[in-house]
Amino acid sequence: MANTYNPYENMLQVLEQAAGTLGLAKDDYEALKYPERELKVSIPVRMDDGSIKVFEGYRVQHSSARGPCKGGLRFHPKVDIDEVKALAAWMSLKCAVANIPYGGAKGAVKIDPRSVSKGELERITRRFTVQIMPIIGPQVDIPAPDVGSNAEMMAWVMDTYSMFEGHAVPGVVTGKPLEVGGSEGRGAATGRGIMLAARQLMRRLGKELAGQRVAVQGMGNVGATTALILAEEGCKIMAVADVSGGLKTDKPEGLNMPAIYKHCYEDRKFLDTYEEEGTVRCSGNDVLTADVDLLVPAALENQLTAANAADVKAPCIVEGANGPTTVEADEIFAKMGKYVVPDILANSGGVVVSYFEWVQNNEGLYWTEEEVNAKLAESMSRAFDEVWNMAEKHNSTLRLGANMIALSRLVAARKIRGFFP
Ligand code: NAD
């Protein structure tokens, strides 16, 4: 069957559902169904062999109603405009759930970053920055890392923008290295936030996080960091997957997460070259359907679908990735009585600490890792409680609860600002 899944349609369906449950009038949220701005750029770059290659890039700004637009830069060979539009809208919703003063945006370059040399990647990133420069800026739109990009690439974005301004502008991008105005705790922030969301969920269910058996899909920034932090908190990581396949174990102590973290994240190697005694190789789908207490999909969109949802055994799912669950899968999970902590709440730790980084850049005053982590914990706990209470009030899923909170904040901001002209 052809894959007709469209993440933007997925986002719109949930938005409509939230608006309906809140009893909003169509005019209240009509504008939120469309991104404010979509920019498509071509990125001509001289490759190491002297030839010129032209790559395709995008920056989509969904909403600036609550503040400057904010969202990551994805470097992936299969991105398309609908995916970037959906990711931009999810950022508006996520910043609203976290109640930080940002709107939403997302950018992307259609490329496999592993297929080019480091020099080529730097030239692509710098040229892309110049191409989107007319619409980014520390008070306008602030990029950050996402799939296929990292802190070093954010330093290139910061440097390129600063060269044009004639002075250092650290606040134009977040997720930077510490040496150029990055924040303590930013690298692990998304994973830490996911752990905090999982802990809040367990508390609500009268359970301890320590001892939970976990499966994690994705061994990049989000997946590897989440799995490592969960292991540090006493969870047993029973199965993990990356794009090369899965690995699982029956060992009561679970997988050796520090070793997997080093292999996959620090050394940037695939899981299929990792060796550990007492483990078995399996498919990525086997990891999603593993017999565990908690599942963290932390790779890409559209991983939990009508095709595999009924086979998912974990009673609790905390979404590390953006949009890993389709609307159909969500309905199946609701019928099965599963708890799904949605992406716009669960993985908001990254953008919350990005906000902290931007505040520090603007103030020129820097916080310790303890301060950052304490503020993150406070933010995640408040957001989780608000979502839980909203879902309880409307007898809805946590996803609908989170979307209702986000939508009501976006609509309130738009109403009080009024419509221009
Ligand atoms: P990354 O590029 O660092 O890692 C992605 C991982 O997913 C890699 O290990 C890759 O091998 C794996 N993967 C890709 N396709 C797969 C497949 N079909 N099956 C199994 N594994 C697969 O990206 P990241 O920054 O960790 O982002 C992961 C997700 O989290 C994305 O949805 C992203 O939008 C979201 N997210 C990222 C951040 C952040 O701060 N980086 C913040 C919030 C949300």
Side-chain angles (χ1 to χ4, degrees):
M1 195 178 79
N3 184 2
T4 52
Y5 168 81
N6 178 328
Y8 197 68
E9 293 296 326
N10 196 352
M11 187 285 299
L12 285 177
Q13 275 188 51
V14 180
L15 195 79
E16 287 287 358
Q17 224 184 338
T21 314
L22 284 170
L24 294 179
K26 191 170 172 288
D27 283 356
D28 289 339
Y29 67 99
E30 182 65 13
L32 291 170
K33 297 199 290 200
Y34 305 87
E36 286 177 9
R37 192 175 277 126
E38 294 173 39
L39 176 65
K40 181 178 173 207
V41 298
S42 53
I43 309 159
V45 173
R46 190 172 298 282
M47 307 303 281
D48 291 346
D49 66 4
S51 67
I52 300 287
K53 259 196 183 167
V54 183
F55 299 92
E56 196 171 298
Y58 311 96
R59 185 74 185 170
V60 174
Q61 296 170 341
H62 172 259
S63 168
S64 58
R66 300 183 72 255
C69 296
K70 185 87 189 83
L73 296 177
R74 179 168 291 196
F75 282 58
H76 193 275
K78 290 204 182 117
V79 304
D80 62 40
I81 190 69
D82 279 328
E83 184 178 6
V84 184
K85 278 165 64 180
L87 289 162
W90 283 325
M91 285 308 297
S92 302
L93 297 165
K94 192 182 301 185
C95 292
V97 172
N99 214 359
I100 52 177
Y102 283 144
K106 204 80 176 192
V109 178
K110 210 177 174 97
I111 186 181
D112 176 359
R114 291 180 190 248
S115 69
V116 292
S117 72
K118 191 168 172 188
E120 289 167 339
L121 187 61
E122 178 172 350
R123 293 195 290 281
I124 292 164
T125 307
R126 286 182 181 276
R127 182 65 190 241
F128 174 61
T129 305
V130 173
Q131 302 287 69
I132 63 167
M133 217 151 67
I135 64 163
I136 64 168
Q139 302 303 331
V140 186
D141 180 358
I142 307 134
D146 189 66
V147 174
S149 64
N150 58 28
E152 187 177 22
M153 291 161 77
M154 298 308 113
W156 298 334
V157 174
M158 179 264 189
D159 183 70
T160 305
Y161 188 89
S162 300
M163 287 297 101
F164 280 83
E165 290 293 304
H167 58 93
V169 189
V172 68
V173 67
T174 60
K176 299 178 292 293
L178 286 176
E179 293 82 351
V180 286
S183 175
E184 295 285 355
R186 173 61 184 92
T190 310
R192 178 163 299 280
I194 293 164
M195 178 278 287
L196 292 165
R199 188 155 73 193
Q200 292 287 336
L201 175 64
M202 292 306 153
R203 274 192 191 147
R204 290 282 183 167
L205 302 178
K207 295 179 185 170
E208 289 287 326
L209 180 61
Q212 298 295 322
R213 299 165 76 254
V214 183
V216 180
Q217 184 204 36
M219 281 292 110
N221 176 308
V222 179
T225 310
T226 303
L228 184 68
I229 294 177
L230 285 172
E232 285 168 0
E233 293 293 318
C235 293
K236 312 293 171 206
I237 312 299
M238 306 309 293
V240 294
D242 73 0
V243 71
S244 73
L247 191 72
K248 57 182 182 178
T249 186
D250 287 332
K251 294 187 285 187
E253 71 275 21
L255 295 164
N256 180 352
M257 229 15 255
I260 297 178
Y261 178 86
K262 181 174 184 313
H263 182 89
C264 292
Y265 186 53
E266 291 181 349
D267 299 343
R268 292 174 51 79
K269 292 185 194 149
F270 289 113
L271 201 54
D272 62 359
T273 57
Y274 173 82
E275 303 284 345
E276 181 180 327
E277 245 179 64
T279 64
V280 184
R281 296 205 185 279
C282 60
S283 71
N285 197 53
D286 288 344
V287 172
L288 293 173
T289 58
D291 191 4
V292 290
D293 308 306
L294 173 64
L295 171 65
V296 181
L300 289 173
E301 303 92 81
N302 193 22
Q303 299 301 303
L304 298 165
T305 66
N308 61 1
D311 299 327
V312 171
K313 291 172 202 72
C316 297
I317 300 166
V318 177
E319 294 183 337
N322 288 309
T325 310
T326 64
V327 171
E328 296 76 23
D330 226 16
E331 283 165 5
I332 295 170
F333 291 152
K335 279 191 197 129
M336 292 168 89
K338 294 190 190 298
Y339 290 92
V340 182
V341 184
D343 45 8
I344 58 171
L345 169 62
N347 70 32
S348 63
V351 75
V352 167
V353 177
S354 272
Y355 166 59
F356 296 161
E357 179 177 332
W358 179 79
V359 168
Q360 294 170 78
N361 292 156
N362 290 341
E363 285 192 328
L365 247 184
Y366 287 84
W367 310 342
T368 63
E369 189 174 352
E370 290 69 33
E371 284 174 282
V372 170
N373 287 349
K375 286 185 207 298
L376 172 63
E378 195 187 308
S379 169
M380 289 300 302
S381 149
R382 190 190 52 236
F384 189 96
D385 285 346
E386 286 173 349
V387 168
W388 185 276
N389 294 341
M390 182 64 113
E392 214 164 50
K393 182 172 159 197
H394 291 273
N395 193 20
S396 78
T397 61
L398 294 174
R399 187 182 316 281
L400 196 52
N403 275 276
M404 283 192 277
I405 287 184
L407 193 55
S408 52
R409 286 182 181 154
L410 281 159
V411 167
R414 182 40 70 212
K415 269 195 176 164
I416 205 137
R417 281 178 64 160
F419 270 92
F420 180 84

